[in-house]
Amino acid sequence: MRVMIYVEGKTDETILNTAWNKLFSDRPMPYSIKSCDPLPTSTSGGAGGTDTLAKLLSTMRDDSPHIAIGIFDQDEEGIKAYNKKLPSYFTEVPQIGAKVSENGKAAAFLLPVPSEKEEYAKFHNLCIEFYFDDE
C-alpha cells in the first residue's frame, strides 16, 4: 500500500522534496508528495489548496490502494480547513496529533510548532515556508 502525502501548495511540495533530498539523499522516498493547488505548475503564484486538500482527504474510499495524509499549515486558512472542513467522520487522535478518517484511509494534521516559531503560530501565521532559510 502506497502512502501519498498531500500538501496545500506547490511551494510546500518543493520544500518537502528538497528537505528529503538534503537529509536522506542516499534513500528513496517511501511516499509521494503532491500539491493540492488547483492551478497548473506553469502559473506564477498559487491559488491555495486548503479546500482542495480537505475535499481530497474526505473522499478517500475504503477500497483505495493508497493511504492519504494531508498536511495543513498553521495559518488562518489551514487551521480553518483542518477544524471545520474535514467531515465529522474524521476524529481527533491525540496520541498522534492528527485527525483520522473512520475507514483509516486518510489522516490530516497541522504542521507542528517548533519552539522558535511559537509567535508565528500564536498569530495563526505559521506556514511551512517559515520553517527553513531561503537557500
Side-chain angles (χ1 to χ4, degrees):
M1 184 166 298
R2 182 107 172 120
V3 174
M4 302 292 294
I5 297 179
Y6 293 98
V7 294
E8 294 176 12
K10 293 181 285 270
T11 306
D12 302 6
E13 179 182 351
T14 300
I15 288 170
L16 291 176
N17 281 315
T18 300
W20 179 273
N21 289 330
K22 287 186 180 217
L23 294 170
F24 308 108
S25 61
D26 59 335
R27 288 191 258 165
M29 189 180 288
Y31 42 78
S32 295
I33 301 171
K34 300 286 181 195
S35 166
C36 285
D37 188 331
L39 293 179
T41 56
S42 61
T43 303
S44 60
T50 54
D51 288 345
T52 305
L53 177 54
K55 286 177 186 170
L56 181 139
L57 294 171
S58 68
T59 61
M60 293 303 294
R61 298 170 36 102
D62 286 339
D63 60 354
S64 174
H66 306 293
I67 291 176
I69 299 173
I71 303 174
F72 291 94
D73 287 343
Q74 285 263 9
D75 60 7
E76 291 286 340
E77 291 175 4
I79 293 167
K80 180 181 172 187
Y82 180 81
N83 288 327
K84 300 193 185 301
K85 303 230 173 163
L86 292 172
S88 61
Y89 55 83
F90 275 77
T91 56
E92 192 77 42
V93 181
Q95 300 90 325
I96 61 172
K99 290 184 177 182
V100 178
S101 66
E102 189 175 293
N103 67 11
K105 290 292 187 160
F109 68 93
L110 290 164
L111 284 172
V113 180
S115 58
E116 68 274 7
K117 302 293 183 184
E118 288 173 347
E119 282 293 305
Y120 290 91
K122 177 180 166 185
F123 293 102
H124 298 171
N125 191 30
L126 180 59
C127 54
I128 197 167
E129 289 82 358
F130 297 153
Y131 272 50
F132 306 97
D133 295 331
D134 288 344
E135 65 277 344

